[in-house]
Coordinates of all heavy atoms in Angstrom, one line a residue:
Chain C
R1497 N 103.6 101.8 117.9 CA 102.5 102.6 118.2 C 101.3 102.4 117.4 O 101.5 102.2 116.2 CB 102.9 104.1 118.0 CG 104.1 104.6 118.9 CD 104.7 105.9 118.6 NE 105.5 106.5 119.6 CZ 105.5 107.6 120.2 NH1 104.6 108.5 119.6 NH2 106.2 108.1 121.1
R1505 N 84.4 109.3 114.0 CA 84.8 110.5 114.4 C 84.3 111.7 113.5 O 84.2 111.5 112.2 CB 86.3 110.7 114.4 CG 86.8 112.0 115.1 CD 88.3 112.1 115.1 NE 88.8 112.2 113.6 CZ 90.1 112.5 113.3 NH1 91.0 112.5 114.3 NH2 90.5 112.5 112.0
R1516 N 106.1 101.7 113.5 CA 107.3 100.9 114.1 C 108.6 101.4 113.6 O 108.6 102.4 112.6 CB 107.1 99.5 113.6 CG 107.4 99.3 112.2 CD 107.9 97.8 111.9 NE 108.0 97.6 110.5 CZ 108.6 96.6 109.9 NH1 109.2 95.6 110.6 NH2 108.8 96.5 108.6
Y1634 N 127.8 109.1 113.9 CA 127.9 109.1 115.3 C 129.3 109.1 115.7 O 129.9 108.0 115.7 CB 127.0 108.0 116.0 CG 125.6 108.0 115.5 CD1 125.1 107.1 114.6 CD2 124.7 108.9 116.1 CE1 123.8 107.2 114.1 CE2 123.4 108.9 115.6 CZ 122.9 108.1 114.7 OH 121.6 108.1 114.4
E1814 N 124.8 119.3 133.5 CA 123.9 118.6 132.5 C 124.0 119.3 131.1 O 123.9 118.6 130.2 CB 122.4 118.8 132.9 CG 122.0 117.9 134.1 CD 120.6 118.4 134.5 OE1 120.2 119.5 134.2 OE2 119.9 117.6 135.3
R1819 N 127.1 112.7 130.8 CA 126.9 111.9 132.1 C 127.5 112.7 133.3 O 128.5 113.3 133.1 CB 127.7 110.6 132.0 CG 127.8 109.7 133.3 CD 128.2 108.2 133.1 NE 129.5 108.1 132.4 CZ 130.6 107.6 133.0 NH1 130.6 107.1 134.2 NH2 131.8 107.6 132.3
E1830 N 130.0 101.9 132.6 CA 129.2 100.7 132.8 C 128.3 100.5 131.5 O 127.7 101.4 131.0 CB 128.2 101.0 134.0 CG 127.4 99.8 134.6 CD 128.3 98.8 135.1 OE1 129.2 99.1 135.8 OE2 127.9 97.6 134.9
H1833 N 121.4 99.7 130.6 CA 120.3 100.3 129.9 C 120.2 101.9 130.2 O 119.6 102.7 129.4 CB 119.0 99.7 130.4 CG 119.0 98.3 130.2 ND1 118.9 97.8 128.8 CD2 119.2 97.3 131.0 CE1 118.8 96.4 128.9 NE2 119.0 96.0 130.2
R1848 N 122.3 113.5 120.7 CA 121.0 113.0 120.9 C 121.1 111.5 121.3 O 119.9 110.9 121.3 CB 120.2 113.2 119.8 CG 119.8 114.8 119.4 CD 119.3 114.9 118.2 NE 120.3 114.8 117.1 CZ 120.1 114.9 115.8 NH1 119.0 115.2 115.4 NH2 121.0 114.6 115.0
R1862 N 114.7 104.1 112.1 CA 113.9 105.2 111.7 C 112.5 104.8 111.8 O 112.1 103.6 111.5 CB 114.3 105.8 110.4 CG 114.0 105.0 109.2 CD 114.4 105.8 107.9 NE 114.1 104.9 106.8 CZ 112.9 104.8 106.2 NH1 111.9 105.5 106.6 NH2 112.8 104.1 105.1
Y1866 N 102.2 103.2 109.0 CA 101.5 102.4 108.2 C 100.0 102.8 108.3 O 99.5 102.8 109.4 CB 101.6 100.9 108.5 CG 103.0 100.4 108.4 CD1 103.9 100.6 109.5 CD2 103.5 99.7 107.3 CE1 105.2 100.2 109.5 CE2 104.7 99.3 107.3 CZ 105.6 99.6 108.4 OH 107.0 99.2 108.3
Q1867 N 99.4 103.3 107.2 CA 98.0 103.8 107.2 C 97.0 102.8 106.5 O 97.3 102.6 105.4 CB 98.1 105.2 106.6 CG 96.6 105.8 106.6 CD 96.7 107.3 106.2 OE1 97.7 107.9 106.5 NE2 95.6 107.7 105.4
Chain R
D562 N 119.2 101.9 136.3 CA 119.9 100.7 136.6 C 120.4 100.8 138.0 O 121.5 101.5 138.3 CB 121.2 100.5 135.6 CG 120.7 100.4 134.2 OD1 119.5 100.1 133.9 OD2 121.5 100.5 133.2
R568 N 128.0 93.0 143.3 CA 128.4 92.4 142.0 C 129.9 92.1 141.9 O 130.7 92.9 142.3 CB 128.0 93.2 140.8 CG 128.2 92.6 139.4 CD 127.8 93.5 138.3 NE 128.9 94.6 138.2 CZ 128.9 95.5 137.3 NH1 128.0 95.3 136.3 NH2 129.7 96.3 137.3
R579 N 117.7 110.4 131.9 CA 116.5 111.0 131.6 C 116.9 111.9 130.4 O 118.1 112.0 130.0 CB 115.9 111.9 132.6 CG 116.9 113.1 133.0 CD 116.0 114.3 133.6 NE 116.9 115.4 133.9 CZ 116.5 116.5 134.3 NH1 115.2 116.8 134.3 NH2 117.4 117.5 134.7
Y697 N 116.0 119.9 111.3 CA 114.9 119.0 110.9 C 114.3 119.7 109.8 O 113.3 120.6 110.1 CB 114.0 118.7 112.1 CG 114.7 118.0 113.2 CD1 115.0 118.8 114.3 CD2 115.1 116.7 113.1 CE1 115.7 118.2 115.4 CE2 115.8 116.1 114.2 CZ 116.1 116.9 115.3 OH 116.7 116.2 116.3
E877 N 108.6 100.9 102.2 CA 109.3 101.2 103.6 C 110.5 101.8 103.4 O 110.9 102.8 104.1 CB 109.4 100.0 104.4 CG 108.2 99.4 105.0 CD 108.5 98.0 105.6 OE1 109.5 97.5 105.3 OE2 107.6 97.5 106.4
R882 N 105.8 107.1 105.4 CA 104.4 106.6 105.7 C 104.0 105.9 104.5 O 104.1 106.3 103.3 CB 103.5 107.8 106.0 CG 102.0 107.4 106.1 CD 101.2 108.5 106.8 NE 101.2 109.7 106.0 CZ 100.2 110.4 105.4 NH1 99.0 109.8 105.5 NH2 100.3 111.5 104.8
E893 N 97.1 113.0 109.6 CA 96.4 112.9 110.9 C 97.5 113.2 111.9 O 98.6 112.8 112.0 CB 96.0 111.4 111.1 CG 95.2 111.1 112.3 CD 93.8 111.8 112.1 OE1 93.2 111.9 111.0 OE2 93.3 112.2 113.2
H896 N 99.7 109.9 117.7 CA 100.9 109.3 118.4 C 101.6 108.5 117.4 O 102.8 108.2 117.5 CB 100.5 108.5 119.6 CG 99.8 109.4 120.6 ND1 100.5 110.3 121.3 CD2 98.4 109.5 121.0 CE1 99.5 111.0 122.0 NE2 98.4 110.5 121.9
R911 N 115.2 110.1 110.8 CA 115.1 109.4 112.1 C 113.9 109.9 112.9 O 113.7 109.5 114.0 CB 116.4 109.5 112.9 CG 117.5 108.8 112.2 CD 118.8 109.2 112.8 NE 119.2 110.6 112.4 CZ 120.2 111.2 112.9 NH1 121.0 110.6 113.7 NH2 120.4 112.5 112.5
R925 N 117.7 115.4 124.6 CA 118.9 114.6 124.5 C 119.1 113.9 125.8 O 118.7 114.4 126.8 CB 120.2 115.3 124.1 CG 120.7 116.2 125.3 CD 122.0 116.9 124.8 NE 122.5 118.0 125.8 CZ 123.2 117.6 126.9 NH1 123.5 116.3 127.2 NH2 123.5 118.6 127.7
Y929 N 123.0 110.1 135.1 CA 123.4 110.5 136.4 C 124.0 109.2 137.2 O 123.3 108.2 137.3 CB 122.1 111.0 137.2 CG 121.5 112.1 136.4 CD1 120.6 111.9 135.3 CD2 121.8 113.5 136.8 CE1 120.0 113.0 134.7 CE2 121.2 114.5 136.1 CZ 120.3 114.2 135.0 OH 119.8 115.3 134.3
Q930 N 125.2 109.4 137.6 CA 125.9 108.3 138.3 C 126.1 108.5 139.8 O 126.7 109.5 140.1 CB 127.2 108.0 137.6 CG 127.9 106.8 138.2 CD 129.2 106.4 137.4 OE1 129.1 106.5 136.1 NE2 130.3 106.1 137.9

Side-chain angles (χ1 to χ4, degrees):
Chain C
R1497 293 171 167 230
R1505 189 184 65 173
R1516 68 153 175 169
Y1634 303 103
E1814 283 169 345
R1819 177 164 56 115
E1830 190 67 38
H1833 302 286
R1848 293 165 292 177
R1862 70 175 176 88
Y1866 301 81
Q1867 180 171 324
Chain R
D562 293 344
R568 189 184 66 173
R579 68 154 175 168
Y697 303 103
E877 284 169 344
R882 177 165 55 116
E893 190 67 38
H896 302 286
R911 292 164 292 177
R925 69 174 176 88
Y929 301 81
Q930 181 171 323

